[in-house]
Amino acid sequence: MSAKVNAALPLEYQTEQNRMNILGFWVFLGAEIVLFATLFGVYGVLGERYAGGPTQKDIFIVKDVMIQTFLLLTSSFTMGISIFEMRRSNIKGMLMWLVFTLLLGGGFLFMEIREFIHYVHEGATMQTSAFLSSFFVLLGTHGLHVTIGIGWAILLIIQILQRGLTPITARKAFIFGLYWHFLDVVWIFIFTFVYLQGLVM
Amino acid sequence: MGIKWDEFFVTGDPLIFASQIGIALTLVGALAGLTYFKKWNYLWSEWFTTVDHKKIGIMYILLGVVMFFRGGIDGLMMKGQTAVPENEFLNAQHYNEVFTTHGVIMILFVAMPLLIGLMNFVIPLQIGARDVAFPQLNALSFWLTVSGAALFNISFIIGGSPDAGWTSYFPLAGKEFSPGIGNNFYAVALQIAGAGTLMTGINFVVTVLKMRTKGMTLMKMPMFTWTSFITSIIIVASFPIFTVALALMTFDRTFGTHFFTISGGGMDMLWANLFWLWGHPEVYIVVLPAFGMLSDIISTFARKTLYGYKSMVISIVMISVLSMLVWVHHFFTMGNSAGVNSFFSITTMAIAIPTGVKVFNWLFTMRKGRIKFTTAMLWALAFVPNFVIGGVTGVMLAMAAADYQYHNTLFLVAHFHYVLIPGVVFPIFAGLYFWWPKMFGYMLNEKIGKWHFWLFVVGFNVTFMPMFFLGLDGAVRRAYTYSAETGFGPLMMISAVGSVILAAGFAALVYNIYWSARNADRNIGNDPWDARTLEWATATPVQHYNFASLPEVTKLDAFWHMKKNNELQPLTEDEIEEIHLPSNTWIPIYMGVIFGISGFLLVFEWTIAAGIAALGILAGLAFRSFDYDEGFHVHKDEIFETESKWRKSAKKGVKNHVS
């Protein structure tokens, strides 16, 4: 509520409302962790129930997964640089790195959709077996988050262009950064517990 | 996608036909009345678009009371059906639908909205704040709850009600055994309402952590704030599990996946685990804030500081941790190993320890207190023995080996009604009587309140006590009828009579609200109960900005000490500053409506249409993103005028209405 500004802090932390929004987003991420943990749990339970359908080894393509991982991890890095530029009040640099992040995220999404289409062509749909149901819903939930993130970032870029860097736009960018890094962390778990484990099983 | 027009309206049952006509007439009447009295504008600008936590709280309470009526009718119908052997009032299918909706509505659309309503109204005042951390999000939470409730409630006239029990176990709840769309209503409506609840949880975690007034450390917070805070944490930790479970249910039913169906490698027990991983903490989500209310009310009317405040805090934290570790006790008989059952048996019994601590603390708070037997206090007193019956029978059920005998009988049904009615409904009634003057500026009638109390408590015991014995005699739950040879008839009849007394008690509450709104004294000052916590330090009813200047706290029971030490100085004109408040917004109610429409289309498995409607949700989010409304400032003159008015009348000595 309070509009009191503490100029000693970074832009996104300057107002009390901003600090609350950031804390609130952390709590929201806590809920997201529970959400993904549940999906991982479901995958852990159903991941070897193939019902005569294909297994992980039959469908996963290592090269494509490596590219996806590379794209998403790099996008997290560029996101970090974008916030770094924001702290230096360099709007141009901030936006440029944000656009890189978007492009990398878009590349990831493109690869993921291609992967899904490929699976479906192979006859591995989410109706085939419990393994594939849990696989598609876990991966799909992550992919949906990335998609929402891309839409979110576009709105963010428009607002920064309209209003420049204010405590409010800085807070929005910072929160988006948290969200994007979170998706990256989730992907590392997917990469480990879905792809790597599936390939060595 | 195959549009299912033939399944659209439920036809053929005279009971439902009558409800359809009744609902249509009520709707037409309400719309015509609002138009005739030109109240649309008032409703829209003062209530539908409000972001004021007090108004949102009151709307939550209204929703809860209305849903209580619906859930209560369901209960009466069940009792009517089982009152005599071989009754033919409801058929098996209808009975299944009625017990399913009774369970869901009572837990999710009665207990939750009433508690969250009281939390909304009271918590910011108790911690000396001007609002919750995220007022707009708060309004969104409310409208999503309304949206979910509306969607769930239309199921019995449009499309057909869910009929697989409030737990909706698979494979029964799957497409194969429940082919209609009833269970889609369950999955989608609870998803929408659950999203609202999750956001409430996030909101209150931040509100309590960040918005406490000067000097109010965590260990100086009133108990209701403490328990609501812990409840909010449990919400954040458990509701996402339900979100996933319901989403997977929707996928199984609508898109043919294999999470819970046996074919295709799915696993029905996965549902049971996910459901209770949320469902058990949910019990504590509703019970803990109720415990907090009792603590505040008992210490107010015993006129003593709460006994063992620290142990109270420790015990709620313990309860919250244990609540996440006991879920398997809901299915001891579904083929777990002895080791698993033993673990969950022990964790379940362990919950009795912190709960026992709390009960003894309340008793010690009353010891040597000068107890005032107000209606609110009566509810708190009645809580103790009744809840203890629920707790003791809970420990009986917690013994895994013995549970093989009791499970799925009316003994279990009696047990959880003995936990939830004294543990949640009694405190809610206590809370309503206690905080009603703060909400509306007049008190509920104490005499009618006592009628309400005695009818309800007696009716409750007459209804549920026989069910313990019926259960021990082998009467299974969820059976729509039984033969005369079982010998269940007489006790079933007593139980049915009890439910009518119970309903009369609820009617007395409704009458009390009506009578008091018309006749009660409006000149009651700001502190009619001689209370202890900060919400009573401000005007009654509360000004829209809550506090003209934020109070400073030095002790537990801050307001009590302020009164005792005469620290309540009148506000001087130069102390008043402009107050910043958020503006009203149409976005939350719009989101509620668009979520409801998308959900409705999804229920009927019109997925393409649902997808198109869901674009409206994204549009709402985008609108919100571009909304840079900075709110408004309350002018000094307005504050000065309001403050001097209520402070004058408070001084005149109408304080301490009941002594």
Side-chain angles (χ1 to χ4, degrees):
Chain A
M1 229 48 12
S2 164
K4 279 171 222 142
V5 174
N6 181 352
L9 293 167
L11 209 49
E12 69 272 16
Y13 283 104
Q14 282 185 0
T15 69
E16 205 179 323
Q17 185 66 48
N18 272 7
R19 290 194 290 274
M20 285 200 293
N21 279 36
I22 291 168
L23 177 68
F25 197 76
W26 276 108
V27 180
F28 171 74
L29 285 183
E32 289 271 82
I33 288 171
V34 179
L35 184 114
F36 276 104
T38 310
L39 286 171
F40 275 108
V42 169
Y43 180 80
V45 171
L46 302 178
E48 289 176 48
R49 295 176 158 245
Y50 305 116
T55 67
Q56 282 90 342
K57 273 201 176 126
D58 297 330
I59 55 171
F60 289 169
I61 306 165
V62 186
K63 196 187 84 190
D64 288 10
V65 179
M66 291 307 289
I67 296 172
Q68 286 179 37
T69 308
F70 174 76
L71 289 171
L72 201 65
L73 262 59
T74 315
S75 82
S76 206
F77 179 65
T78 54
M79 185 68 231
I81 301 178
S82 176
I83 296 297
F84 175 74
E85 293 292 347
M86 179 180 91
R87 289 270 172 85
R88 305 200 317 166
S89 310
N90 178 1
I91 294 194
K92 235 182 178 175
M94 175 193 177
L95 286 177
M96 187 182 77
W97 288 105
L98 204 51
V99 170
F100 279 147
T101 308
L102 271 187
L103 291 176
L104 290 164
F108 167 84
L109 212 54
F110 172 78
M111 291 294 291
E112 183 162 65
I113 292 168
R114 222 181 57 147
E115 182 194 345
F116 281 8
I117 291 173
H118 171 73
Y119 292 159
V120 172
H121 273 290
E122 300 260 297
T125 67
M126 65 179 184
Q127 287 84 8
T128 309
S129 67
F131 151 58
L132 286 164
S133 300
S134 57
F135 171 81
F136 274 106
V137 169
L138 171 57
L139 273 280
T141 307
H142 179 265
L144 180 68
H145 275 76
V146 175
T147 315
I148 291 170
I150 288 174
W152 182 354
I154 291 169
L155 297 179
L156 183 66
I157 291 171
I158 296 171
Q159 286 170 48
I160 294 170
L161 287 173
Q162 280 176 346
R163 294 164 185 275
L165 267 184
T166 67
I168 294 181
T169 53
R171 176 247 294 167
K172 287 184 175 191
F174 183 78
I175 286 178
F176 174 73
L178 292 180
Y179 178 78
W180 198 259
H181 295 311
F182 170 74
L183 294 184
D184 204 43
V185 173
V186 172
W187 180 260
I188 291 170
F189 280 87
I190 289 178
F191 181 71
T192 315
F193 291 108
V194 177
Y195 287 109
L196 284 186
Q197 200 183 328
L199 287 168
V200 297
M201 240 169 4
Chain B
M1 65 191 181
I3 291 181
K4 300 178 170 72
W5 285 113
D6 52 324
E7 290 179 7
F8 198 73
F9 273 110
V10 180
T11 48
D13 190 314
L15 277 175
I16 288 175
F17 187 62
S19 335
Q20 280 167 335
I21 293 175
I23 290 169
L25 288 178
T26 315
L27 268 180
V28 170
L31 296 180
L34 285 173
T35 313
Y36 182 79
F37 292 107
K38 297 199 174 69
K39 289 287 184 195
W40 281 108
N41 205 8
Y42 164 77
L43 264 188
W44 178 259
S45 57
E46 292 291 318
W47 294 91
F48 290 172
T49 59
T50 188
V51 290
D52 182 338
H53 71 96
K54 301 180 286 299
K55 285 181 174 168
I56 290 172
I58 288 168
M59 289 194 288
Y60 263 117
I61 291 167
L62 182 67
L63 174 72
V65 171
V66 171
M67 288 293 114
F68 207 151
F69 184 72
R70 157 86 209 264
I73 297 280
D74 281 344
L76 284 175
M77 285 164 81
M78 280 190 281
K79 284 289 150 196
Q81 166 62 23
T82 54
V84 289
E86 323 245 10
N87 200 359
E88 283 172 12
F89 169 54
L90 301 176
N91 61 36
Q93 173 63 21
H94 202 165
Y95 191 78
N96 289 349
E97 293 177 4
V98 168
F99 73 63
T100 303
T101 51
H102 172 75
V104 172
I105 286 176
M106 284 303 195
I107 298 276
L108 289 160
F109 297 124
V110 176
M112 295 290 281
L114 284 172
L115 289 169
I116 292 178
L118 285 166
M119 277 163 66
N120 249 300
F121 188 90
V122 176
I123 301 296
L125 295 170
Q126 273 198 340
I127 60 174
R130 294 231 162 85
D131 208 327
V132 294
F134 314 116
Q136 274 211 21
L137 190 71
N138 198 19
L140 177 62
S141 296
F142 171 70
W143 288 109
L144 289 182
T145 309
V146 172
S147 188
L151 196 58
F152 192 82
N153 271 280
I154 57 167
S155 69
F156 81 112
I157 53 165
I158 297 175
S161 291
D163 55 1
W166 94 281
T167 51
S168 279
Y169 280 142
F170 278 81
L172 175 61
K175 207 68 178 173
E176 193 185 344
F177 299 105
S178 299
I181 59 158
N183 276 5
N184 293 356
F185 272 112
Y186 176 93
V188 176
L190 299 195
Q191 187 73 280
I192 294 171
T197 308
L198 177 61
M199 286 184 269
T200 300
I202 295 171
N203 212 336
F204 278 92
V205 170
V206 180
T207 303
V208 172
L209 282 179
K210 285 281 192 181
M211 300 200 60
R212 277 168 291 133
T213 190
K214 211 172 161 198
M216 183 175 281
T217 57
L218 284 176
M219 292 310 277
K220 290 193 185 93
M221 292 197 307
M223 257 346 260
F224 182 45
T225 302
W226 248 117
T227 51
S228 301
F229 175 57
I230 297 291
T231 284
S232 305
I233 292 173
I234 308 179
I235 287 175
V236 174
S238 71
F239 262 76
I241 305 172
F242 197 40
T243 303
V244 170
L246 290 172
L248 301 187
M249 176 189 249
T250 310
F251 270 88
D252 264 12
R253 292 187 54 87
T254 310
F255 303 112
T257 53
H258 302 286
F259 289 101
F260 310 124
T261 44
I262 311 293
S263 65
M267 206 180 185
D268 49 356
M269 281 311 292
L270 183 60
W271 169 266
N273 278 287
L274 291 178
F275 181 86
W276 286 115
L277 256 170
W278 160 79
H280 195 84
E282 167 67 19
V283 175
Y284 292 89
I285 290 170
V286 293
V287 158
L288 284 182
F291 283 179
M293 289 179 202
L294 288 177
S295 302
D296 288 356
I297 289 166
I298 287 175
S299 71
T300 298
F301 293 119
R303 285 183 273 190
K304 279 175 66 193
T305 307
L306 189 68
Y307 182 88
Y309 176 85
K310 267 187 198 161
S311 63
M312 281 299 210
V313 172
I314 293 167
S315 61
I316 49 173
V317 174
M318 263 175 77
I319 290 174
S320 74
V321 173
L322 286 169
S323 78
M324 306 293 285
L325 296 176
V326 301
W327 76 94
V328 171
H329 74 214
H330 293 271
F331 43 90
F332 278 145
T333 61
M334 291 196 208
N336 316 295
S337 69
V340 168
N341 275 355
S342 304
F343 173 81
F344 286 97
S345 190
I346 291 164
T347 49
T348 303
M349 287 188 225
I351 285 198
I353 297 166
T355 314
V357 168
K358 298 180 80 70
V359 170
F360 281 109
N361 279 342
W362 288 317
L363 294 177
F364 280 122
T365 307
M366 288 186 250
R367 185 172 171 264
K368 288 188 177 173
R370 287 159 295 145
I371 296 176
K372 287 189 278 188
F373 291 95
T374 60
T375 310
M377 187 61 176
L378 286 180
W379 288 111
L381 291 173
F383 157 86
V384 176
N386 288 296
F387 185 80
V388 166
I389 295 174
V392 169
T393 52
V395 177
M396 286 168 74
L397 286 157
M399 290 182 266
D403 185 61
Y404 276 76
Q405 183 61 32
Y406 316 126
H407 87 101
N408 229 17
T409 67
L410 291 180
F411 184 88
L412 172 85
V413 178
H415 153 68
F416 70 69
H417 282 87
Y418 263 92
V419 172
L420 286 173
I421 294 178
V424 180
V425 180
F426 288 10
I428 285 173
F429 286 148
L432 284 179
Y433 280 89
F434 185 59
W435 282 302
W436 197 271
K438 200 55 4 189
M439 289 190 249
F440 298 105
Y442 60 88
M443 301 165 89
L444 287 174
N445 183 284
E446 286 283 311
K447 208 169 148 196
I448 308 174
K450 272 155 199 162
W451 274 97
H452 170 207
F453 171 78
W454 285 110
L455 284 170
F456 202 91
V457 173
V458 171
F460 159 72
N461 276 292
V462 177
T463 307
F464 293 103
M465 187 58 82
M467 289 165 78
F468 282 121
F469 301 103
L470 284 163
L472 291 174
D473 278 346
V476 292
R477 63 169 167 167
R478 293 175 178 170
Y480 83 109
T481 193
Y482 54 93
S483 68
E485 291 93 82
T486 55
F488 299 154
L491 282 177
M492 286 286 203
M493 179 51 95
I494 293 173
S495 177
V497 170
S499 70
V500 176
I501 305 173
L502 196 61
F506 182 73
L509 170 69
V510 175
Y511 178 69
N512 198 351
I513 292 172
Y514 167 79
W515 189 92
S516 307
R518 288 183 64 121
N519 303 319
D521 180 12
R522 257 59 180 177
N523 190 22
I524 56 167
N526 62 319
D527 180 28
W529 306 118
D530 197 8
R532 315 178 71 84
T533 40
L534 282 182
E535 72 267 32
W536 303 97
T538 184
T540 294
V542 188
Q543 329 81 313
H544 60 124
Y545 49 80
N546 290 2
F547 296 95
S549 71
L550 296 179
E552 210 179 315
V553 175
T554 50
K555 285 197 183 75
L556 186 66
D557 288 337
F559 181 51
W560 177 263
H561 289 286
M562 287 177 192
K563 284 190 289 190
K564 256 180 39 186
N565 304 337
N566 279 323
E567 285 166 11
L568 290 169
Q569 301 301 334
L571 210 58
T572 55
E573 213 164 335
D574 53 306
E575 277 177 317
I576 295 175
E577 282 177 27
E578 282 193 341
I579 293 170
H580 179 240
L581 289 176
S583 320
N584 286 1
T585 164
W586 55 271
I587 296 173
I589 185 170
Y590 162 80
M591 291 295 268
V593 171
I594 197 75
F595 260 97
I597 292 171
S598 313
F600 182 78
L601 297 168
L602 187 60
V603 164
F604 279 85
E605 297 170 19
W606 301 336
T607 41
I608 296 169
I612 294 167
L615 293 177
I617 296 172
L618 295 178
L621 290 172
F623 264 119
R624 172 69 185 88
S625 172
F626 281 91
D627 178 15
Y628 276 74
D629 192 322
E630 301 261 336
F632 64 98
H633 287 87
V634 187
H635 199 264
K636 278 184 188 177
D637 297 345
E638 189 194 332
I639 300 170
F640 183 74
E641 204 177 306
T642 342
E643 289 299 311
S644 39
K645 225 196 263 165
W646 77 263
R647 276 158 204 266
K648 223 180 282 162
S649 72
K651 257 203 183 140
K652 263 189 226 150
V654 271
K655 265 167 52 177
N656 308 350
H657 219 65
V658 176
S659 49

